Amino acid sequence: MASSSVSAAIKQFQIIYPDFINKKKSKAAGRLLSKELCLENPTATEIYQCCLQLGFQTVLEPDRCYPRDPFSAKGRVRVLIKDSTKAYVPKSEFDKSGHAPMKEAYPTKLSVLRAVCKMIPNLQSRKEPQKPKEEESDAPVFSNKKDKRKGKKK
């Protein structure tokens, strides 16, 4: 019984996919903001951390993917942006309805996305340089391939 009430409450959360703020995606592919504001390859965990820092109730769903591009980055974040006291609000009426935003500074999904785009570059995971794989270029390369030319001299 408790899980059904939790799942009903989560349905009121709005969904944010990493493709919404990916600079490499086109508007037709699902990007919602301008390229100047967007980031390259954001992850769902980064969006989740930023939404928690903003003070929103959030749920990370790492196994879900964006329906328009199922092979892109995995994960999505559910964020409670507007307080809805009704049991069900159709998506077409959600923004038009008189529901009060949870945070006055972020009344819409686009305002939350703009704030997240400003916060992600300051995350510690983005500041740390990626360590390249160490390859030994000085070591000789050995091959087990034999000369396939039978009977021919070099």
Side-chain angles (χ1 to χ4, degrees), residues 124-152:
Q124 188 172 5
S125 62
R126 286 276 175 143
K127 285 184 177 181
E128 293 175 359
Q130 297 292 331
K131 294 180 181 178
K133 294 181 181 178
E134 295 181 18
E135 296 181 11
E136 295 180 22
S137 58
D138 297 336
V141 178
F142 295 105
S143 177
N144 289 337
K145 294 181 181 178
K146 294 183 180 180
D147 195 8
K148 302 251 178 181
R149 299 180 287 170
K150 291 185 177 180
K152 295 183 181 179

Side-chain angles (χ1 to χ4, degrees), residues 14-131:
Q14 292 192 7
I15 297 172
I16 298 176
Y17 290 101
D19 285 350
F20 289 174
I21 57 174
N22 192 347
K23 187 182 272 190
K24 294 182 177 181
K25 298 288 181 181
S26 65
K27 287 269 191 178
R31 182 173 44 87
L32 295 180
L33 299 177
S34 65
K35 283 192 176 184
E36 292 81 28
L37 295 175
C38 291
L39 307 160
E40 286 190 17
N41 302 322
T43 62
T45 54
E46 291 172 340
I47 296 170
Y48 175 74
Q49 290 171 356
C50 292
C51 289
L52 284 178
Q53 287 179 4
L54 291 173
F56 286 105
Q57 292 179 6
T58 60
V59 176
L60 176 65
E61 297 176 336
D63 57 336
R64 301 295 183 151
C65 61
Y66 190 45
R68 287 190 192 176
D69 190 8
F71 301 108
S72 67
K74 283 198 155 200
R76 72 179 180 190
V77 179
R78 287 185 179 256
V79 182
L80 185 61
I81 297 173
K82 294 196 177 203
D83 184 22
S84 64
T85 54
K86 294 182 182 178
Y88 175 73
V89 179
K91 186 176 180 180
S92 59
E93 298 176 11
F94 195 80
D95 285 331
K96 298 175 189 172
S97 63
H99 297 297
M102 297 299 284
K103 304 283 181 186
E104 291 295 326
Y106 310 107
T108 62
K109 183 191 285 191
L110 291 178
S111 63
V112 173
L113 289 175
R114 286 186 194 103
V116 166
C117 286
K118 290 178 184 175
M119 293 177 71
I120 286 178
N122 298 329
L123 290 176
Q124 188 172 5
S125 62
R126 286 276 175 143
K127 285 184 177 181
E128 293 175 359
Q130 297 292 331
K131 294 180 181 178

